[in-house]
Amino acid sequence: MLESEYQEQNRFFLNMGPQHPSTHGVLLIVLEMEGEYVLDPQPVLGFIHRMHEKMGESRPCQGFMPNTARMDYVCALPYNHGYVSLIERKAGIEVPKRAEYIRVITSELNRVASHLLWLGAYLLDLGAFTPILYGFDDREHILDILERITGSRLTYCYYRFGGVYKDVDDKFIEATRAFIKRMRKRYVIYEKLVTKNIIFIKRAENIGIVSPDMALRYGMTGPNLRGSGIAYDVRKNEPYSVYPEFDFEIPVGEQGDCLDRYMVRVQEIEQSLRIIEQALDRLPDGPVRSKVKKNIKLTPGDCNFAVEAARGELSYYLVGDGTSTPYRLKVRVPSYSNLSCLPELGRGILLPDLVSILGSFDLVIPEMDR
Amino acid sequence: MKQYFSELYTGGKSLVEGLGVTMKALFSPIVTVQYPREEIDITPNYRGHIDLILDTGKNTYLCISCGMCEKSCPSDCIKVKGKKMEGEKKKSLVLFDLDFTKCSLCGTCVEVCPKDALEYSQEYNLAAFTKEAFHFDILKRLEERRI
């Protein structure tokens, strides 16, 4: 048998997904394989497309609020935040200081919850079942805290144009402080269980190296970009809300492998806790919602607003035409750009490494497809 | 050979450390709840589907069937109908339907109501086999609560 014939016989296509557990949703990756090696991974999207952008363009701008949380259900509050800030910028609505502080506190809590869920799910992809249980235990505390003030546990619709839906009380502040204290104690567990675990290190170190140049070419943002050593964070580089008032750092990785992306996220939890602590200390008194007209007219012209979601830069772009319904609403989501480097990154690697790379990207599929 | 044993050592060490964490968790208080048999109290701020508020003084609803909630709902899931009965000044409610399959619990209806006649219910044990089971007759639910 000729060598080329032999190669031909060993090549096959493998559908990873849309029901594969490690694609975290309905993402299909068509893999061209040779034995255990991946030759060409091609992501296929479109299984959960719900035309969110079109829905935004077909109803008054208030009506799109619940949709924002459905795009990224793991970290919904920054999505709320981006949209309300966009309309506020467009319509020139003032937001009370206390409301901005509450927005920052709740958004950061949600970010921590998202990172904890990711941590558990990533380790689950790698075959470790235990960490997700610890992650869920901690995340549950955040969900309870947020449930008390927002009224829902996952798909929040908490922010309103010109403020927030409900004021926080002393019990919320107390519970948040207690959570911060608890979470800092839990680092030890995660370090022993995951960060120092030799199996985890072998599965993550030097795997899926995204060079800074490559990350920029594909428009990666968030912890994935910071893992490659580029300190870009919308909260610092293009500050919004009251973020400039807080002292926090942007953790960056060194070489951009899966371990770096993991470390960046773990360090980000601590930075988020620092922001929450400072915000709780300085929480001003006053109203949480300013008076806003019921019918918000969107003036002709375009407007853009970007926030830092847990997965990277989320940007809303809106074109108004004088009515209360947006003429065009574009949502730029981080996961889509983060995934797009997969065909280049996944060429010639082992299949288990591809699973590790996919996990380390922290993909949320409904956010990409929206 | 030397590397083999050093890897065996580090691997064994991380295994023991991980098991240590597990042992500690084994003897710490249980956090899970055996759900159908035990239930956790939910917060009064929980936002379930909407309900009409019962005005205990008048023993009836506060709704004036203006239809603001119906108009402002982004998902078109509320149907309100009022009828002017003979000998009465105000319209009285004849239909208040909620299609919960479409509702996304945004709370716009509750906020937009001029009479504050709506509230969030505390119901979360919702599961059914048919779509129709989620078409709630809110008016009927109020009648049931009436004294």
Side-chain angles (χ1 to χ4, degrees), chain A residues 114-132:
Chain A
S114 168
H115 283 342
L116 284 171
L117 178 71
W118 164 81
L119 191 143
Y122 178 36
L123 269 294
L124 205 58
D125 289 350
L126 297 179
F129 185 74
T130 328
I132 197 168

PDB file of all heavy atoms in Angstrom, chain A residues 114-132:
ATOM      1  N   SER A 114     -19.582  34.183  37.297  1.00  0.00           N
ATOM      2  CA  SER A 114     -19.286  33.638  35.969  1.00  0.00           C
ATOM      3  C   SER A 114     -17.938  32.924  35.954  1.00  0.00           C
ATOM      4  O   SER A 114     -17.801  31.837  35.395  1.00  0.00           O
ATOM      5  CB  SER A 114     -19.286  34.778  34.952  1.00  0.00           C
ATOM      6  OG  SER A 114     -18.751  34.356  33.734  1.00  0.00           O
ATOM      7  N   HIS A 115     -16.948  33.544  36.584  1.00  0.00           N
ATOM      8  CA  HIS A 115     -15.623  32.918  36.608  1.00  0.00           C
ATOM      9  C   HIS A 115     -15.629  31.615  37.412  1.00  0.00           C
ATOM     10  O   HIS A 115     -14.937  30.664  37.071  1.00  0.00           O
ATOM     11  CB  HIS A 115     -14.582  33.889  37.194  1.00  0.00           C
ATOM     12  CG  HIS A 115     -14.161  34.960  36.218  1.00  0.00           C
ATOM     13  ND1 HIS A 115     -14.363  34.841  34.876  1.00  0.00           N
ATOM     14  CD2 HIS A 115     -13.539  36.146  36.393  1.00  0.00           C
ATOM     15  CE1 HIS A 115     -13.888  35.914  34.254  1.00  0.00           C
ATOM     16  NE2 HIS A 115     -13.383  36.727  35.161  1.00  0.00           N
ATOM     17  N   LEU A 116     -16.427  31.594  38.478  1.00  0.00           N
ATOM     18  CA  LEU A 116     -16.509  30.367  39.285  1.00  0.00           C
ATOM     19  C   LEU A 116     -17.150  29.239  38.490  1.00  0.00           C
ATOM     20  O   LEU A 116     -16.702  28.097  38.537  1.00  0.00           O
ATOM     21  CB  LEU A 116     -17.312  30.624  40.566  1.00  0.00           C
ATOM     22  CG  LEU A 116     -16.597  31.393  41.663  1.00  0.00           C
ATOM     23  CD1 LEU A 116     -17.577  31.747  42.761  1.00  0.00           C
ATOM     24  CD2 LEU A 116     -15.456  30.574  42.241  1.00  0.00           C
ATOM     25  N   LEU A 117     -18.193  29.585  37.750  1.00  0.00           N
ATOM     26  CA  LEU A 117     -18.849  28.569  36.925  1.00  0.00           C
ATOM     27  C   LEU A 117     -17.887  28.076  35.856  1.00  0.00           C
ATOM     28  O   LEU A 117     -17.791  26.879  35.590  1.00  0.00           O
ATOM     29  CB  LEU A 117     -20.102  29.158  36.271  1.00  0.00           C
ATOM     30  CG  LEU A 117     -20.847  28.203  35.340  1.00  0.00           C
ATOM     31  CD1 LEU A 117     -21.522  27.112  36.125  1.00  0.00           C
ATOM     32  CD2 LEU A 117     -21.855  28.926  34.497  1.00  0.00           C
ATOM     33  N   TRP A 118     -17.138  29.026  35.251  1.00  0.00           N
ATOM     34  CA  TRP A 118     -16.181  28.644  34.217  1.00  0.00           C
ATOM     35  C   TRP A 118     -15.130  27.698  34.794  1.00  0.00           C
ATOM     36  O   TRP A 118     -14.769  26.700  34.181  1.00  0.00           O
ATOM     37  CB  TRP A 118     -15.500  29.890  33.637  1.00  0.00           C
ATOM     38  CG  TRP A 118     -14.284  29.514  32.887  1.00  0.00           C
ATOM     39  CD1 TRP A 118     -14.249  29.041  31.615  1.00  0.00           C
ATOM     40  CD2 TRP A 118     -12.947  29.476  33.382  1.00  0.00           C
ATOM     41  NE1 TRP A 118     -12.956  28.734  31.281  1.00  0.00           N
ATOM     42  CE2 TRP A 118     -12.146  28.989  32.337  1.00  0.00           C
ATOM     43  CE3 TRP A 118     -12.354  29.818  34.591  1.00  0.00           C
ATOM     44  CZ2 TRP A 118     -10.774  28.825  32.482  1.00  0.00           C
ATOM     45  CZ3 TRP A 118     -10.999  29.666  34.729  1.00  0.00           C
ATOM     46  CH2 TRP A 118     -10.222  29.173  33.688  1.00  0.00           C
ATOM     47  N   LEU A 119     -14.645  28.067  35.986  1.00  0.00           N
ATOM     48  CA  LEU A 119     -13.598  27.248  36.606  1.00  0.00           C
ATOM     49  C   LEU A 119     -14.060  25.808  36.755  1.00  0.00           C
ATOM     50  O   LEU A 119     -13.346  24.870  36.398  1.00  0.00           O
ATOM     51  CB  LEU A 119     -13.247  27.840  37.974  1.00  0.00           C
ATOM     52  CG  LEU A 119     -12.018  27.302  38.683  1.00  0.00           C
ATOM     53  CD1 LEU A 119     -11.326  28.439  39.406  1.00  0.00           C
ATOM     54  CD2 LEU A 119     -12.344  26.227  39.694  1.00  0.00           C
ATOM     55  N   GLY A 120     -15.284  25.658  37.265  1.00  0.00           N
ATOM     56  CA  GLY A 120     -15.809  24.312  37.436  1.00  0.00           C
ATOM     57  C   GLY A 120     -16.005  23.602  36.120  1.00  0.00           C
ATOM     58  O   GLY A 120     -15.630  22.444  35.948  1.00  0.00           O
ATOM     59  N   ALA A 121     -16.557  24.324  35.134  1.00  0.00           N
ATOM     60  CA  ALA A 121     -16.880  23.696  33.851  1.00  0.00           C
ATOM     61  C   ALA A 121     -15.607  23.326  33.086  1.00  0.00           C
ATOM     62  O   ALA A 121     -15.559  22.292  32.424  1.00  0.00           O
ATOM     63  CB  ALA A 121     -17.736  24.642  33.022  1.00  0.00           C
ATOM     64  N   TYR A 122     -14.600  24.153  33.189  1.00  0.00           N
ATOM     65  CA  TYR A 122     -13.332  23.872  32.501  1.00  0.00           C
ATOM     66  C   TYR A 122     -12.702  22.598  33.051  1.00  0.00           C
ATOM     67  O   TYR A 122     -12.264  21.718  32.306  1.00  0.00           O
ATOM     68  CB  TYR A 122     -12.394  25.073  32.662  1.00  0.00           C
ATOM     69  CG  TYR A 122     -11.026  24.906  32.039  1.00  0.00           C
ATOM     70  CD1 TYR A 122     -10.869  24.210  30.842  1.00  0.00           C
ATOM     71  CD2 TYR A 122      -9.897  25.451  32.633  1.00  0.00           C
ATOM     72  CE1 TYR A 122      -9.618  24.062  30.267  1.00  0.00           C
ATOM     73  CE2 TYR A 122      -8.649  25.306  32.062  1.00  0.00           C
ATOM     74  CZ  TYR A 122      -8.511  24.600  30.882  1.00  0.00           C
ATOM     75  OH  TYR A 122      -7.291  24.436  30.321  1.00  0.00           O
ATOM     76  N   LEU A 123     -12.697  22.515  34.375  1.00  0.00           N
ATOM     77  CA  LEU A 123     -12.117  21.316  34.998  1.00  0.00           C
ATOM     78  C   LEU A 123     -12.952  20.087  34.677  1.00  0.00           C
ATOM     79  O   LEU A 123     -12.414  18.992  34.538  1.00  0.00           O
ATOM     80  CB  LEU A 123     -12.028  21.518  36.518  1.00  0.00           C
ATOM     81  CG  LEU A 123     -10.744  22.124  37.075  1.00  0.00           C
ATOM     82  CD1 LEU A 123      -9.606  21.144  36.841  1.00  0.00           C
ATOM     83  CD2 LEU A 123     -10.366  23.436  36.455  1.00  0.00           C
ATOM     84  N   LEU A 124     -14.250  20.301  34.522  1.00  0.00           N
ATOM     85  CA  LEU A 124     -15.135  19.199  34.146  1.00  0.00           C
ATOM     86  C   LEU A 124     -14.775  18.692  32.745  1.00  0.00           C
ATOM     87  O   LEU A 124     -14.777  17.495  32.488  1.00  0.00           O
ATOM     88  CB  LEU A 124     -16.581  19.685  34.179  1.00  0.00           C
ATOM     89  CG  LEU A 124     -17.682  18.656  34.394  1.00  0.00           C
ATOM     90  CD1 LEU A 124     -17.490  17.919  35.678  1.00  0.00           C
ATOM     91  CD2 LEU A 124     -19.024  19.344  34.384  1.00  0.00           C
ATOM     92  N   ASP A 125     -14.443  19.638  31.868  1.00  0.00           N
ATOM     93  CA  ASP A 125     -14.002  19.252  30.513  1.00  0.00           C
ATOM     94  C   ASP A 125     -12.747  18.408  30.575  1.00  0.00           C
ATOM     95  O   ASP A 125     -12.557  17.496  29.772  1.00  0.00           O
ATOM     96  CB  ASP A 125     -13.672  20.496  29.682  1.00  0.00           C
ATOM     97  CG  ASP A 125     -14.900  21.271  29.316  1.00  0.00           C
ATOM     98  OD1 ASP A 125     -15.989  20.740  29.538  1.00  0.00           O
ATOM     99  OD2 ASP A 125     -14.751  22.388  28.817  1.00  0.00           O
ATOM    100  N   LEU A 126     -11.873  18.756  31.518  1.00  0.00           N
ATOM    101  CA  LEU A 126     -10.607  18.040  31.617  1.00  0.00           C
ATOM    102  C   LEU A 126     -10.746  16.734  32.381  1.00  0.00           C
ATOM    103  O   LEU A 126      -9.780  16.016  32.585  1.00  0.00           O
ATOM    104  CB  LEU A 126      -9.557  18.924  32.299  1.00  0.00           C
ATOM    105  CG  LEU A 126      -9.199  20.208  31.563  1.00  0.00           C
ATOM    106  CD1 LEU A 126      -8.179  20.994  32.348  1.00  0.00           C
ATOM    107  CD2 LEU A 126      -8.658  19.922  30.181  1.00  0.00           C
ATOM    108  N   GLY A 127     -11.946  16.479  32.881  1.00  0.00           N
ATOM    109  CA  GLY A 127     -12.172  15.196  33.528  1.00  0.00           C
ATOM    110  C   GLY A 127     -12.155  15.229  35.038  1.00  0.00           C
ATOM    111  O   GLY A 127     -12.232  14.193  35.678  1.00  0.00           O
ATOM    112  N   ALA A 128     -12.051  16.404  35.620  1.00  0.00           N
ATOM    113  CA  ALA A 128     -12.084  16.501  37.081  1.00  0.00           C
ATOM    114  C   ALA A 128     -13.480  16.905  37.507  1.00  0.00           C
ATOM    115  O   ALA A 128     -13.952  17.974  37.140  1.00  0.00           O
ATOM    116  CB  ALA A 128     -11.071  17.527  37.559  1.00  0.00           C
ATOM    117  N   PHE A 129     -14.121  16.067  38.261  1.00  0.00           N
ATOM    118  CA  PHE A 129     -15.511  16.342  38.607  1.00  0.00           C
ATOM    119  C   PHE A 129     -15.632  17.210  39.866  1.00  0.00           C
ATOM    120  O   PHE A 129     -16.550  17.999  39.999  1.00  0.00           O
ATOM    121  CB  PHE A 129     -16.284  15.042  38.799  1.00  0.00           C
ATOM    122  CG  PHE A 129     -17.744  15.273  39.030  1.00  0.00           C
ATOM    123  CD1 PHE A 129     -18.562  15.642  37.978  1.00  0.00           C
ATOM    124  CD2 PHE A 129     -18.294  15.161  40.288  1.00  0.00           C
ATOM    125  CE1 PHE A 129     -19.896  15.894  38.180  1.00  0.00           C
ATOM    126  CE2 PHE A 129     -19.637  15.409  40.499  1.00  0.00           C
ATOM    127  CZ  PHE A 129     -20.436  15.771  39.441  1.00  0.00           C
ATOM    128  N   THR A 130     -14.708  17.075  40.791  1.00  0.00           N
ATOM    129  CA  THR A 130     -14.860  17.708  42.103  1.00  0.00           C
ATOM    130  C   THR A 130     -14.919  19.238  42.082  1.00  0.00           C
ATOM    131  O   THR A 130     -15.783  19.810  42.721  1.00  0.00           O
ATOM    132  CB  THR A 130     -13.743  17.263  43.055  1.00  0.00           C
ATOM    133  OG1 THR A 130     -13.389  15.932  42.723  1.00  0.00           O
ATOM    134  CG2 THR A 130     -14.170  17.321  44.477  1.00  0.00           C
ATOM    135  N   PRO A 131     -14.015  19.941  41.362  1.00  0.00           N
ATOM    136  CA  PRO A 131     -13.981  21.408  41.515  1.00  0.00           C
ATOM    137  C   PRO A 131     -15.300  22.108  41.220  1.00  0.00           C
ATOM    138  O   PRO A 131     -15.599  23.118  41.842  1.00  0.00           O
ATOM    139  CB  PRO A 131     -12.906  21.856  40.517  1.00  0.00           C
ATOM    140  CG  PRO A 131     -12.036  20.679  40.356  1.00  0.00           C
ATOM    141  CD  PRO A 131     -12.925  19.496  40.480  1.00  0.00           C
ATOM    142  N   ILE A 132     -16.100  21.560  40.306  1.00  0.00           N
ATOM    143  CA  ILE A 132     -17.353  22.264  39.977  1.00  0.00           C
ATOM    144  C   ILE A 132     -18.283  22.317  41.190  1.00  0.00           C
ATOM    145  O   ILE A 132     -19.052  23.263  41.358  1.00  0.00           O
ATOM    146  CB  ILE A 132     -18.045  21.626  38.755  1.00  0.00           C
ATOM    147  CG1 ILE A 132     -19.091  22.602  38.191  1.00  0.00           C
ATOM    148  CG2 ILE A 132     -18.692  20.295  39.064  1.00  0.00           C
ATOM    149  CD1 ILE A 132     -19.636  22.249  36.845  1.00  0.00           C
TER     150      ILE A 132
END
